[in-house]
């Protein structure tokens, strides 16, 4: 822990802009300790870095499991509103910020779903670090990209990462950027191939009595209620 703190402090001295950022640490396949201001591993540990007058202090933030459940109600609410699968939204948040509401990228993306200033303004977000506003706008923007690209999940995710202009530039295909392709693959894997982006449809079972026999039917629409007698 002490070694990690010293390493993080050294990074901050070289890059003052990280003084109020979050740092993430994890071990790669060869066992090396990696520290970065961008979470690239779901199991990454998160540290809050702040200038303390005579030096830099590093403290652990909330555990990943606690952060995930903390925003579950907001995720389900807005995912359902836009007919998206909650697991899909969770996977996007994991990839974007590792569920850190104070995350900020070097490009200026903010909060849980890493909203760029222009996107935040478009969706009338007054505080991009407020989880409720951030998730509301992020999910709405994600849905707009799915609609724009014909519900193609890979293209929508690529647009979320690299911008819709990049997807259009390459003939409505995932741009040949390593980061973007890894991003798309990672989210699709975390969301689950079976889950996809759309919310699961509800199936209704109805039973009718015809000529004295039960006839069972299944539909995605609820049967109309019988008029009161």
């Amino acid at each position: 822990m002490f070694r990690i703190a010293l390493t993080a402090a050294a990074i901050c001295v070289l890059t003052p802009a990280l003084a109020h950022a979050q740092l993430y640490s994890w071990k790669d396949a060869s066992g090396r300790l990696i520290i970065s201001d961008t979470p690239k591993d779901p199991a990454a540990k998160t540290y809050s870095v702040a200038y303390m007058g005579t030096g830099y202090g590093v403290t652990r933030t909330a555990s990943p499991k606690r952060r995930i459940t903390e925003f579950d109600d907001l995720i389900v609410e807005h995912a359902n509103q836009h007919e998206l699968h909650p697991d899909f939204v969770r996977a996007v948040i994991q990839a974007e910020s590792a569920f850190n509401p104070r995350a900020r990228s070097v490009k200026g993306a903010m909060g849980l779903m890493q909203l760029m200033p222009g996107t935040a303004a478009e969706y009338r977000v007054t505080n991009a670090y407020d989880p409720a506003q951030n998730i509301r706008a992020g999910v709405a923007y994600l849905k707009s990209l799915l609609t724009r690209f014909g519900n193609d999940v890979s293209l929508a995710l690529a647009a979320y990462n690299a911008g819709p202009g990049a997807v259009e530039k390459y003939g409505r295909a995932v741009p040949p950027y390593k980061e973007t392709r890894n991003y798309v693959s990672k989210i699709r894997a975390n969301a689950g191939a079976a889950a996809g982006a759309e919310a699961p449809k509800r199936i209704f079972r109805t039973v009718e009595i015809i000529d004295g026999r039960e006839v069972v039917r299944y539909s995605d629409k609820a049967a109309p209620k019988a008029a009161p007698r």
Side-chain angles (χ1 to χ4, degrees):
M1 175 68 179
F2 182 65
R3 182 179 299 174
I4 293 174
L6 288 178
T7 308
I11 292 174
C12 291
V13 170
L14 293 174
T15 55
L18 294 179
H20 298 283
Q22 300 290 330
L23 292 181
Y24 306 87
S25 71
W26 66 92
K27 290 186 177 180
D28 63 13
S30 63
R32 292 183 306 167
L33 179 64
I34 305 298
I35 296 180
S36 172
D37 64 326
T38 303
K40 294 184 179 181
D41 189 297
K45 296 178 181 179
T46 308
Y47 299 86
S48 177
V49 183
Y51 184 67
M52 304 177 69
T54 58
Y56 290 86
V58 182
T59 58
R60 279 291 306 277
T61 60
S63 68
K65 289 184 178 179
R66 196 178 86 184
R67 290 201 303 265
I68 291 173
T69 56
E70 182 179 355
F71 308 114
D72 202 54
D73 288 346
L74 288 170
I75 291 170
V76 172
E77 175 189 349
H78 293 290
N80 288 343
Q81 182 179 342
H82 292 284
E83 299 182 327
L84 298 181
H85 201 293
D87 284 346
F88 179 63
V89 176
R90 290 187 189 98
V92 171
I93 295 175
Q94 175 65 59
E96 290 290 342
S97 67
F99 286 86
N100 174 15
R102 302 300 302 174
R104 182 181 177 88
S105 77
V106 294
K107 295 181 180 179
M110 302 169 285
L112 289 167
M113 298 193 73
Q114 291 291 273
L115 302 178
M116 293 298 288
T119 304
E122 179 181 352
Y123 288 90
R124 299 181 180 180
V125 172
T126 57
N127 179 5
Y129 297 104
D130 171 39
Q133 293 190 58
N134 191 286
I135 292 174
R136 171 185 62 76
V139 173
Y141 178 53
L142 188 58
K143 178 64 175 182
S144 75
L145 294 174
L146 282 162
T147 300
R148 176 171 177 172
F149 294 106
N151 287 321
D152 187 309
V153 176
S154 294
L155 294 186
L157 289 174
Y160 198 96
N161 176 259
V167 175
E168 299 285 4
K169 175 183 176 180
Y170 287 95
R172 294 176 73 87
V174 176
Y177 310 147
K178 183 178 180 180
E179 176 189 338
T180 300
R181 292 190 170 182
N182 288 342
Y183 176 88
V184 172
S185 297
K186 180 179 179 180
I187 292 178
R188 298 210 65 162
N190 287 346
E198 295 184 355
K201 294 183 180 296
R202 297 179 63 186
I203 301 298
F204 298 91
R205 179 179 184 270
T206 59
V207 178
E208 293 182 72
I209 305 300
I210 300 177
D211 295 332
R213 295 186 305 152
E214 287 188 354
V215 177
V216 179
R217 292 190 174 91
Y218 295 90
S219 173
D220 60 350
K221 296 181 180 180
K225 295 182 179 179
R229 295 182 179 180

